[in-house]
Amino acid sequence: MYKGKTIWITGASSGIGEALAYEFARRGAKLILSARRPDELERVKATAGTYGNGPDDILVLPLDVTDEAQIATATAQAKAFTGSIDMLINNAGISQRSLCVDTDMATYRKLFEVDVFGQIALTKEVLPIMLAQGSGHMVVTASVAGKIGVKQRTGYCAAKHAMMGFFDALRAEVEDSGIQVSTITPGFIRTNIATHALKGDGSEFGKVDKNIAGGMDVVECAKVIMKGLERGKREIPVGDGPEMKALLVKRFFPNTLFKMVRKMG
Ligand SMILES: NC(=O)c1ccc[n+]([C@@H]2O[C@H](COP(=O)([O-])OP(=O)(O)OC[C@H]3O[C@@H](n4cnc5c(N)ncnc54)[C@H](OP(=O)(O)O)[C@@H]3O)[C@@H](O)[C@H]2O)c1
């Protein structure tokens, strides 16, 4: 169903975005790959090209989602690539590893610039294109952290909760115009997310923690996400650890969940 369709993925230089790029390449989609590091995007393009797509079917479009001027220019370039944008996957993101008491306001603002305002700004640029097409699929990689608050991630959880709210509200506005909206809620997935997470002073955490090290394989994760997208699911949970069960506990026994997360490291 994605053959010849144009799919724009942010955060495509690593982790979940990279794995999704390969899944779409296998299905014959035309790809727009964005993130800040052009060399890593070229590496992903080269690998995606081995799945059947020619070099002309993949556009490397470096983009820092916190730069609004760049977002406008990049969107024009993305639209010019094939003339349409069939899916935007707002997947770029950074996490946090610091207690609230140790976290600078500047660090909270940085988390929100990338994880919230970057996604909103890009979505707002692409939305009129999809509305004019009368079709399109808006996707965001939110998180289980968008449903549950856990220690050392006050800013990240707040940002991901914001994204769940934003895209649920957007869905209500645009679904009748032929535009689908899907929120992906991954649990722990083995990627570089912890390594690049921000400490309280805004510096990088710089290592993998045990939750992420024991998380779901990223290729498997991408396959689950693809199945959800192909079925047009509005919400796509993905993960294989106890954090996925926590979603149900939160829904039906919130106090039990609050006690559980208090005990977590
Ligand atoms: N791994 C997990 O356990 C997990 C769980 C729930 C949700 N998520 C979410 O999944 C998404 C992907 O993360 P991941 O796990 O795949 O981690 P990752 O491997 O660290 O990938 C993060 C991606 O975001 C890009 N990025 C970061 N800041 C950016 C910016 N300012 N502008 C543009 N791109 C930026 C990075 O590329 P550059 O450095 O090249 O810019 C990279 O491609 C994130 O939104 C994350 O919050 C992950």
Side-chain angles (χ1 to χ4, degrees):
M1 73 186 277
Y2 294 118
K3 194 167 177 49
K5 299 283 183 194
T6 305
I7 315 290
W8 188 0
I9 306 173
T10 70
S13 63
S14 142
I16 297 172
E18 175 179 354
L20 282 174
Y22 300 148
E23 291 299 323
F24 280 107
R26 281 196 186 94
R27 287 162 176 78
K30 295 184 187 292
L31 289 172
I32 304 169
L33 306 177
S34 289
R36 290 165 303 177
R37 291 168 297 165
D39 48 337
E40 289 300 309
L41 293 173
E42 289 294 347
R43 176 186 60 77
V44 175
K45 174 177 173 169
T47 307
T50 64
Y51 295 126
N53 268 342
D56 294 345
D57 296 323
I58 305 172
L59 175 67
V60 163
L61 189 55
L63 171 66
D64 183 335
V65 295
T66 64
D67 184 336
E68 272 188 56
Q70 249 189 60
I71 283 179
T73 317
T75 304
Q77 285 173 270
K79 169 80 166 58
F81 179 44
T82 66
S84 65
I85 301 173
D86 298 301
M87 182 182 285
L88 169 65
I89 306 184
N90 284 290
N91 170 76
I94 46 169
S95 190
Q96 174 193 10
R97 294 293 184 274
S98 56
L99 296 173
C100 175
V101 71
D102 299 325
T103 304
D104 297 343
M105 271 314 294
T107 302
Y108 281 119
R109 289 187 198 285
K110 178 154 187 209
L111 284 162
F112 268 65
E113 284 298 337
V114 180
D115 292 346
V116 179
F117 295 118
Q119 322 304 321
I120 294 177
L122 185 55
T123 297
K124 267 182 63 61
E125 281 291 325
V126 173
L127 186 59
I129 296 170
M130 289 188 177
L131 286 170
Q133 288 169 181
S135 67
H137 197 157
M138 284 288 185
V139 182
V140 66
T141 312
S143 176
V144 167
K147 302 247 181 192
I148 289 171
V150 292
K151 288 179 191 174
Q152 304 232 36
R153 293 167 181 70
T154 45
Y156 183 68
C157 288
K160 293 297 183 178
H161 274 69
M163 285 297 85
M164 291 300 301
F166 178 90
F167 282 93
D168 283 352
L170 180 68
R171 181 185 302 110
E173 293 182 8
V174 301
E175 219 171 31
D176 286 343
S177 307
I179 298 174
Q180 291 175 270
V181 178
S182 296
T183 53
I184 303 167
T185 54
F188 298 121
I189 313 295
R190 277 202 312 278
T191 68
N192 293 325
I193 193 81
T195 311
H196 297 302
L198 302 184
K199 294 197 287 188
D201 63 0
S203 60
E204 277 200 358
F205 184 60
K207 57 186 180 212
V208 182
D209 53 20
K210 85 170 187 312
N211 286 329
I212 295 298
M216 188 187 217
D217 173 70
V218 73
V219 174
E220 206 184 314
C221 163
K223 289 190 190 304
V224 174
I225 294 172
M226 290 305 295
K227 217 176 265 177
L229 293 175
E230 281 165 345
R231 289 179 186 164
K233 283 178 70 177
R234 295 181 176 91
E235 208 168 286
I236 306 173
V238 51
D240 56 9
E243 72 280 7
M244 305 315 286
K245 295 196 183 74
L247 290 173
L248 283 177
V249 180
K250 167 86 187 277
R251 190 151 166 208
F252 297 110
F253 308 102
N255 275 322
T256 308
L257 191 275
F258 295 141
K259 280 181 205 153
M260 279 166 58
V261 295
R262 196 174 72 206
K263 287 193 183 125
M264 277 170 60

